[in-house]
Amino acid sequence: MINKIVYLKGRFFYYVWRIYSLAIGLFFKQLKGIIISPHQLKGVDCISIDKGTLIGKNVILTAWKAFGSQNFSPSISIGKNTYIGENAHITACESITIGNGVLTGRYVYISDNSHGDCSLGQSSIPPLKRPLQVKGPVVIEDNVWIGERVCILSGVRIGEGAVIAANAVVTKDVQSNTVVGGVPAKVIKQME
C-alpha cells in the first residue's frame, strides 16, 4: 500500500511540474523538457530545451542580452534526454550548447563569460562593474558525464562521451572519450 501511495504522489508531482513547464514554456525560445522549481530564469526567449530533458531544482539559467552598456545575442541550447543537476548555474552572453544524453551532478557551473579580463588595468574597477568578456562559445557534445561542482569556462569544447571528474575546473578543450579531473582539469585517462 505504501509503495502505491509513493508512486501516485510521484506521478502527481511529475504532472504538476509538467504543467508548470508548459506554462513558462510560452516565454522560451523552445521548451519541450521539464524545469523543476528554478531559482532564476533570465533571457528565456534565447533558451532552447529539447524533449526528455529534466532541469533540476534551484537551477539558474541566464542568457544576457545586455549588461551595463554592452549588448549581446546570447543562446543556450540543451539537447534531448539530458539531466541538469540541482543548483546548477548556466550563464551565456554568446553561446552555450549542451548535447543529447548529457548528465551533470549538482552545483555545476557553465559559463561563456567572465567579469573583466584579469588585467592590472581593470583591478581598480569593482568586478561587478567590469565589462563582460567572452573567450568563445561553450560546446558540450553528446553523452558527456559531468561530476558535481564542476566549472566549465568560456571557449571550451568537450567531446562526445567524455567524463569530467567532480570539482574539476575545465579551462581547455577535452577530447572525446577522455576522463579529466583537477584544477585546472588534466587528462586522467583515455577510454579504450
Side-chain angles (χ1 to χ4, degrees):
M1 181 67 173
I2 297 280
N3 288 340
K4 189 172 185 176
I5 292 170
V6 169
Y7 172 78
L8 291 174
K9 183 178 177 185
R11 296 301 295 169
F12 170 77
F13 284 113
Y14 168 82
Y15 288 114
V16 166
W17 290 118
R18 187 73 194 133
I19 292 167
Y20 170 77
S21 291
L22 288 171
I24 64 170
L26 299 172
F27 303 99
F28 275 75
K29 181 176 181 181
Q30 173 184 298
L31 179 57
K32 293 183 178 177
I34 297 174
I35 298 178
I36 300 174
S37 184
H39 178 74
Q40 181 182 5
L41 300 172
K42 184 174 185 69
V44 295
D45 57 326
C46 301
I47 301 173
S48 298
I49 300 170
D50 215 333
K51 66 183 176 180
T53 291
L54 181 65
I55 308 294
K57 291 192 282 185
N58 299 318
V59 168
I60 297 172
L61 293 173
T62 54
W64 294 94
K65 293 182 192 176
F67 183 81
S69 63
Q70 295 175 283
N71 292 308
F72 302 102
S73 297
S75 170
I76 297 174
S77 176
I78 303 174
K80 296 177 185 170
N81 303 314
T82 288
Y83 177 76
I84 305 297
E86 296 172 356
N87 301 295
H89 183 175
I90 301 172
T91 178
C93 287
E94 188 177 290
S95 175
I96 294 176
T97 304
I98 300 172
N100 301 320
V102 172
L103 171 65
T104 80
R106 295 181 211 146
Y107 301 97
V108 168
Y109 175 74
I110 303 169
S111 177
D112 73 353
N113 61 83
S114 62
H115 287 273
D117 60 9
C118 295
S119 66
L120 189 56
Q122 290 192 354
S123 65
S124 62
I125 303 168
L128 189 57
K129 294 188 178 189
R130 294 177 191 168
L132 294 181
Q133 302 286 322
V134 178
K135 290 182 182 176
V138 173
V139 178
I140 300 170
E141 295 181 6
D142 296 346
N143 303 316
V144 171
W145 177 16
I146 301 169
E148 287 204 22
R149 298 184 188 278
V150 166
C151 293
I152 299 171
L153 303 180
S154 185
V156 168
R157 177 180 211 92
I158 299 176
E160 184 172 354
V163 177
I164 314 300
N167 299 305
V169 177
V170 182
T171 60
K172 295 181 181 172
D173 291 354
V174 176
Q175 298 299 315
S176 295
N177 303 311
T178 302
V179 180
V180 300
V183 179
K186 294 184 179 0
V187 175
I188 295 172
K189 79 178 219 178
Q190 188 71 39
M191 291 182 241
E192 298 176 9

